[in-house]
Structure formats: C-alpha cells, structure tokens
Amino acid sequence: MKAAVVTFPGSNCDRDLAVALEQAGADVQRVWHKDSALPEGLDLVAVPGGFSYGDYLRCGAIAAHSPIAAALRAHAERGGYVLGICNGFQVLTELGLLPGALMRNAGLTFLCKPATLRVETTDSAFTVGYQAGQQISVPVAHHDGNYQIDAEGLAALRDQDRIAFTYAPAINGSVADIAGVVSANRRVLGMMPHPERAADPVLGATDGAALFAGLVGRLALA
C-alpha cells in the first residue's frame, strides 16, 4: 500500500503521521506543498495536522489553493483515498472534498487533551479496525475544531452513515458532537482528533493504531 504525506509551511504532525503509516506497513513518500504532482501509484494521500500557512485567513484556506491542492483534489475525484487529520480536516473542507466547516471552539479556547470518541460506523476503510459503538481515547489539539453543517447536510450524513466518530462527551460545540466524517464514496475521512498521537505504546496510547492498521490492511488487498 502506497501513501503520501503532504507537508505545508506550519505542518507539525507530518512526521508523526508518516511514522504511524509506516509502522502499519505502508510505503510512505513525503510531498512538499509546492509540488504540482503526486507520486505515481498512490493509494492514499494524508494531510497532517498543524497550522498550514500560519492559519491566516481561515484554517486550511490558503493550503486549499497551494500548488499541490489540484493534484490532491484530482486524486480524490478519481477515487483515491484521502485522510485529513485536524488541520488536514480543515483543508479538506476548504477543498470541498468534505461537507461542513470547522469553526472556533465553543468557549474560544484551545483544547489539548485526550478525548473519548465513539466509533459511529465501521463501513469505511478508515474505521474497519474498530467495532461500531466502541469507545476509544485519542488526543485532540485544536482551536478551530467545532464542526458545523446545516440541518439538511446533517440529515444526509446520518442517513448515509457518514459520521465516523463523535465526541463522548462533547468537548468543542460540534453539531451532533461530530469528530470525523467520511465522503459520499467513503474514501475521504476528515477528523479533528489525532490518531497518529495514539498509535504506539511509547506515546502512552494505542487506540489510534487500529485506524492505520485497518486502513493499510484494507488498501493492501484492494
């Protein structure tokens, strides 16, 4: 399974994400934001957390217009898998690859702590390693993680079983406590919590490892 991790100015979780994918068995390449093309033969493009371009304008807004953005969108549109974590989730909403928007947290505070998540669906390559209803602990580190979508969009997410994770309990004001969603074709996942920070015993947490193991295992068989 071949993956690429994109690095923007201000990314700070790109190496962590690459290591988590490598430990799960993926062949990982690194891609710079000024590149205009992705490596050939990729199964997955991963967009890491951090503060791309300093989070100026809106979080992820400038990254969505970077040179690599067109190739990322084309990869998703031809059915490639995409994983966006934290700032990466914000980038994917700015690109229009996922619905909704990430707003300032309720209380306008930066949150950096372990968060309990409930796995809402296992019908995706990203969540196949979990059980529906399972509760896992994954760290969060964000100021703009308050997921918002209109009533019609929320109904569609629910009807199509596209809510991947919810916070249990609520932490940042997200509508329906949403922590992560998948695209209509179930090949794009955006989530605010950081599974790469909970993917190795040396980090003190391992609940995120199943996401990477399940993803790599599923795509290796595709």
Side-chain angles (χ1 to χ4, degrees):
M1 185 276 229
K2 295 184 178 180
V5 175
V6 181
T7 299
F8 299 99
S11 296
N12 62 16
C13 300
D14 46 336
R15 184 180 182 278
D16 306 66
L17 185 50
V19 168
L21 285 164
E22 288 169 347
Q23 290 181 338
D27 175 8
V28 181
Q29 299 183 59
R30 306 294 294 275
V31 175
W32 184 233
H33 71 113
K34 287 189 176 181
D35 294 339
S36 59
L38 292 166
E40 294 292 330
L42 290 179
D43 300 293
L44 171 76
V45 179
V47 187
F51 306 90
S52 59
Y53 297 93
D55 278 350
Y56 291 110
L57 299 182
R58 294 184 309 276
C59 299
I62 299 177
H65 294 276
S66 65
I68 198 60
L72 173 57
R73 181 184 285 109
H75 171 81
E77 290 177 347
R78 63 175 172 261
Y81 286 82
V82 180
L83 170 63
I85 297 172
C86 198
N87 187 234
F89 187 8
Q90 295 161 345
V91 172
L92 297 185
T93 60
E94 291 288 341
L95 278 168
L97 298 180
L98 290 172
L102 284 306
M103 311 293 288
R104 292 287 174 89
N105 294 341
L108 304 181
T109 56
F110 184 86
L111 297 174
C112 185
K113 63 179 183 178
T116 300
L117 306 181
R118 174 184 164 90
V119 180
E120 297 295 338
T121 182
T122 58
D123 185 17
S124 80
F126 305 98
T127 56
V128 69
Y130 299 108
Q131 296 180 352
Q134 181 179 351
Q135 291 196 345
I136 60 176
S137 179
V138 179
V140 296
H142 60 248
H143 192 277
D144 297 69
N146 180 355
Y147 182 78
Q148 294 297 314
I149 192 169
D150 61 22
E152 182 179 357
L154 177 59
L157 291 178
R158 285 172 164 161
D159 291 345
Q160 298 167 22
D161 189 31
R162 290 170 52 196
I163 299 174
F165 302 101
T166 56
Y167 297 107
I171 64 168
N172 61 12
S174 292
V175 63
D177 302 328
I178 290 174
V181 299
V182 295
S183 60
N185 68 359
R186 317 193 79 78
R187 294 191 172 203
V188 180
L189 169 68
M191 61 184 297
M192 286 308 299
H194 287 268
E196 79 283 5
R197 298 185 182 181
D200 191 301
V202 74
L203 301 174
T206 58
D207 283 356
L211 184 149
F212 298 104
L215 176 62
V216 172
R218 174 65 66 85
L219 297 192
L221 295 174

